[in-house]
Amino acid sequence: MKIEGTTRITGLFGYPVRHTFSPAMHNAAFAERAMDYAYVPFEVHPRDLKAAVAALIPLGIVGVNITIPHKETVIPLLDEISEEAALMGSVNTIQVTEGRLKGHNTDAYGYETSLRLEGDFELKDKRIFVLGAGGAARAVCFQSALAGVAELVIADVVGARAEALGEAVLQAFPDCGVEICSADAGVLRKALAGKDLFVNATPIGMKVNDPQLIDAAWLDPSALVFDVIYNPEETRLLREAKAQGFKTLNGIGMLVHQGARAFEIFTGVAAPVTVMAEVLREKFQEHP
Ligand code: NAP
């Protein structure tokens, strides 16, 4: 990569950022489009977030992604936030234009776009079940409600977390059929019947010895099984569901499309999505 006096800088604020594959994905995309841009990871300690965000403008940085633990705490530091970021209370991309900072959330876009393009699945009027009520689940649940799902059931091992997320979704979308369910196996089994989509939004499945989340036999035969996990590409959930004949989708597409949307926000140019996905797959093979 050539860094010149003219190179426009983008990047990532997180803590830690050592594990991130976003620089590989974005820099490959800039190279593919022959654009004089670079993407740099910045390890920003929470106590320094305010100073780091304030520095974006004087340093001429055109935009950054925001990751754990800054997605919520960054909001009061911005001039403006997009409608979806306001709904979700979470920002993962800052756009710097004309001395102003605008926050966006592209995780939710990534989720819906991957379902549509890679899963051939439209959320509207569907009945969906989301396991987990953390950061990923927040994007999944709000986007599902925004897209007009008929039914949204949320379960988390921490019941209060599922309740809080369900209440937040209901407050924004009073007509959405939100239900909270216990993460207990017997209850899950009943609640999964009749769902069009099952989403694993927990980190369970990232490690080889992680427990089985659900028995795929509890799902409707036509259900799509979506795992937000992207590394490994095939979790135990997806492997077992596939073996039983279910359609499955991993989290790579969601990750790529959130990155592609951020790329477009930074540059105003359509992202080379295929190249971005290839780079991520290579990285995951190098770092299983
Ligand atoms: P998080 O904030 O820690 O949320 C996970 C939630 O799931 C927690 O509330 C956790 O409870 C709960 N949980 C754990 N085991 C459970 C189980 N067996 N049943 C029900 N709930 C359970 O994590 P996150 O940031 O949302 O990330 C979750 C996963 O999504 C990670 O693997 C991450 O890499 C992935 N992700 C993917 C994308 C993408 O673009 N594809 C984007 C964001 C995140 P405890 O806290 O008690 O464990």
Side-chain angles (χ1 to χ4, degrees), residues 134-136 156-158 161 202-204 206 213 228-230 251 254-255:
D156 192 289
V157 278
V158 185
R161 215 174 278 161
T202 79
I204 307 297
M206 292 178 78
L213 278 171
V228 295
I229 294 174
Y230 42 79
M254 176 172 169
L255 188 66

Side-chain angles (χ1 to χ4, degrees), residues 22-282:
S22 292
M25 176 169 71
H26 283 276
N27 286 320
F30 294 140
E32 174 68 17
R33 290 278 182 262
M35 294 174 78
D36 186 16
Y37 278 71
Y39 186 102
V40 186
F42 296 100
E43 193 152 276
V44 177
H45 190 279
R47 75 169 168 261
D48 298 323
L49 182 64
K50 193 172 176 185
V53 170
L56 288 170
I57 294 169
L59 291 176
I61 292 174
V62 296
V64 284
N65 284 129
I66 299 293
T67 188
I68 290 169
H70 305 313
K71 286 184 173 188
E72 289 89 31
T73 48
V74 77
I75 291 176
L77 308 175
L78 306 175
D79 297 307
E80 196 186 337
I81 58 173
S82 69
E83 196 186 337
E84 77 285 348
L87 260 178
M88 282 161 220
S90 168
V91 160
N92 81 331
T93 305
I94 300 179
Q95 176 185 28
V96 188
T97 33
E98 290 163 9
R100 284 178 63 80
L101 304 175
K102 180 169 179 179
H104 300 261
N105 186 307
T106 70
D107 286 329
Y109 166 88
Y111 159 69
E112 190 177 9
T113 306
S114 181
L115 278 182
R116 186 179 326 113
L117 299 185
E118 283 99 32
D120 194 20
F121 187 93
E122 291 293 339
L123 286 162
K124 189 159 172 42
D125 297 329
K126 297 296 195 315
R127 295 155 299 175
I128 82 167
F129 191 103
V130 180
L131 193 63
R138 210 173 165 78
V140 164
C141 290
F142 273 97
Q143 192 63 29
S144 300
L146 192 61
V149 293
E151 212 181 304
L152 170 62
V153 184
I154 309 169
D156 192 289
V157 278
V158 185
R161 215 174 278 161
E163 293 276 354
L165 177 54
E167 273 166 31
V169 173
L170 256 185
Q171 205 169 353
F173 299 93
D175 297 333
C176 182
V178 179
E179 274 175 49
I180 306 307
C181 162
S182 144
D184 174 74
V187 184
L188 279 185
R189 179 185 193 143
K190 284 198 196 112
L192 286 173
K195 299 297 175 289
D196 304 298
L197 172 68
F198 174 78
V199 181
N200 173 38
T202 79
I204 307 297
M206 292 178 78
K207 301 198 196 96
V208 184
N209 293 325
D210 273 348
Q212 187 189 37
L213 278 171
I214 55 157
D215 184 336
W218 302 344
L219 294 162
D220 253 34
S222 63
L224 171 65
V225 181
F226 175 50
D227 201 326
V228 295
I229 294 174
Y230 42 79
N231 192 13
E233 277 192 48
E234 190 170 74
T235 56
R236 179 176 179 181
L237 168 71
L238 296 189
R239 194 170 56 248
E240 291 179 359
K242 206 185 259 178
Q244 293 191 41
F246 288 92
K247 286 176 288 173
T248 59
L249 185 63
N250 66 26
I252 292 186
M254 176 172 169
L255 188 66
V256 168
H257 292 296
Q258 69 75 29
R261 183 78 196 101
F263 180 97
E264 287 162 10
I265 289 170
F266 296 151
T267 65
V269 170
V273 177
T274 310
V275 167
M276 295 170 89
E278 274 165 17
V279 168
L280 279 181
R281 283 212 178 84
E282 276 167 25

